Amino acid sequence: MTISSCEDSVDPLVIVSVERDFEIPGNLNTIETHFFELKNINVRLDENLDVFNRTQDDVVSISPADASVTSVFNNIDWTFIQRIEVYAVSRIDNSKKFRMFQSSEPDFGNRNQVTMFNTFIDVKDVFSEGLIDLEVRIKTRAFVPSNINAKLTFSYGIFDQM
């Protein structure tokens, strides 16, 4: 994966993938935005830097790459989701909250997952803590068919100064 800007193209040192399961209850209404707090997520920053003999001092930025929500067990039609957002939240200072991913409309061509777009925000301040919290915000367009064991999978790129 290459992250591009207007000036030049930069390849990340590594792309790291993280997964976390959570439950979406079947009784959600279509009026409110529903919040799910996913606590103590190990982003494995230091162990991935160790592979390349780098430290956090070598990291210039950390940027979200890709994200999706799928079902752990069943085949779910995810088009009941109207909007989903994923925020990284600092465990040290919960006022540090960065929206990493969002999806504002379902992909009616791919009903087996919700694919989200990244926000290209630098999340180095939060990810350098090692353990982070995530806040998943879901707005539904229809009632949730039943309790869903969901899996959030996301990746991020580590950019170094080498």
Side-chain angles (χ1 to χ4, degrees):
M1 175 179 167
T2 301
I3 307 285
S4 298
S5 69
C6 295
E7 296 174 9
D8 54 65
S9 187
V10 178
D11 288 329
L13 172 67
V14 64
I15 299 287
V16 179
S17 184
V18 179
E19 293 182 343
R20 181 60 176 264
D21 293 352
F22 68 105
E23 185 172 336
I24 301 173
N27 61 351
L28 301 182
N29 65 55
T30 59
I31 298 168
E32 300 172 295
T33 297
H34 305 281
F35 292 75
F36 300 88
E37 292 182 348
L38 311 181
K39 300 284 191 181
N40 300 319
I41 296 172
N42 185 351
V43 293
R44 304 183 341 256
L45 177 61
D46 288 330
E47 66 188 66
N48 279 284
L49 289 172
D50 287 346
V51 170
F52 295 95
N53 294 319
R54 303 285 201 293
T55 67
Q56 288 192 23
D57 292 336
D58 298 316
V59 176
V60 174
S61 66
I62 297 174
S63 298
D66 299 312
S68 65
V69 175
T70 57
S71 174
V72 174
F73 299 115
N74 302 329
N75 189 14
I76 300 292
D77 180 351
W78 288 95
T79 56
F80 68 88
I81 300 282
Q82 179 177 339
R83 180 173 182 77
I84 187 167
E85 297 173 305
V86 177
Y87 290 78
V89 182
S90 167
R91 295 186 47 76
I92 295 168
D93 177 2
N94 64 3
S95 70
K96 287 185 181 178
K97 186 182 294 191
F98 301 98
R99 185 173 63 181
M100 296 191 306
F101 303 103
Q102 67 179 11
S103 176
S104 57
E105 290 297 324
D107 179 358
F108 289 101
N110 181 5
R111 296 170 181 254
N112 296 328
Q113 68 179 3
V114 177
T115 303
M116 291 171 270
F117 299 101
N118 68 45
T119 60
F120 295 109
I121 191 163
D122 184 358
V123 292
K124 179 183 174 187
D125 284 349
V126 174
F127 277 47
S128 64
E129 297 173 14
L131 286 178
I132 67 167
D133 292 340
L134 292 178
E135 181 180 281
V136 179
R137 300 178 183 183
I138 296 176
K139 173 85 170 105
T140 61
R141 70 174 60 250
F143 290 103
V144 179
S146 64
N147 288 355
I148 298 171
N149 292 314
K151 179 183 295 291
L152 170 65
T153 304
F154 71 93
S155 58
Y156 64 91
I158 302 172
F159 296 84
D160 67 350
Q161 53 190 0
M162 301 283 178

